[in-house]
Amino acid sequence: MRISLAITVTLCLWLGGCQRHVTKYAHTAPDESLINTYWKLLTLNDEPVVAADNVREAHIVMHIDSARLAGSTGCNTLSGRYQHTGQQLTFHPIATTKMACPTAQMRSEQAMLIALKQTRRWNINGSLLELTNARGEPLAVLKAVHLY
């Protein structure tokens, strides 16, 4: 009886120690790459962005070739160029298609385009990309999505 209790206590302590070790490092996922990553829009001005049914989700991809920007506003497709040096990031004039969408999507589209235009800095923490303005105020948060 004492032996089984001692073994049980030892196993619990050992497994508990392993659990703390795993938990300690579980949140430190490697940072995603800014370039050639599909970035799904999660928030604009600290407000969640909800994709409409049967509509493409709002996202951007910064391609390495020619610093090309592509994506969707959740209503229209977008394209343009970007420039980044270190933690600085700007989006050059962005062109979109001109489809009409429900009012909520059009508002979200306009907010996304304004956020991209005001972006001056970026920061990646794991799978989240934060875009900020020149004063460091958050404009948008995007999440890396792996398409494979």
Side-chain angles (χ1 to χ4, degrees), residues 43-47 111 114-116 118-123 129-142:
T43 67
L44 283 168
N45 303 314
D46 291 327
E47 295 293 324
I114 290 168
L116 292 175
Q118 293 177 349
T119 296
R120 295 296 177 267
R121 300 189 62 75
W122 64 278
N123 184 53
L129 167 64
E130 181 180 43
L131 303 178
T132 58
N133 64 19
R135 294 181 300 278
E137 298 165 338
L139 298 169
V141 175
L142 301 97

Side-chain angles (χ1 to χ4, degrees), residues 50 90 148:
V50 180
T90 56
Y148 52 88

Side-chain angles (χ1 to χ4, degrees), residues 11-12 23 31 46 57 88 99-100 119 141 143 146:
L11 282 173
C12 287
T23 303
D31 291 342
D46 291 327
E57 66 191 6
Q88 294 188 351
M99 292 187 338
T119 296
V141 175
K143 181 176 178 140
H146 296 278

Side-chain angles (χ1 to χ4, degrees), residues 79-130:
S79 63
R81 300 220 179 276
Y82 68 91
Q83 182 177 17
H84 84 91
T85 307
Q87 292 306 113
Q88 294 188 351
L89 176 66
T90 56
F91 297 98
H92 296 274
I94 297 170
T96 63
T97 55
K98 300 293 182 190
M99 292 187 338
C101 296
T103 304
Q105 286 176 269
M106 294 302 292
R107 280 194 210 118
S108 181
E109 174 179 84
Q110 288 304 309
M112 179 180 181
L113 294 172
I114 290 168
L116 292 175
K117 183 178 179 180
Q118 293 177 349
T119 296
R120 295 296 177 267
R121 300 189 62 75
W122 64 278
N123 184 53
I124 294 176
N125 185 5
S127 65
L128 296 179
L129 167 64
E130 181 180 43

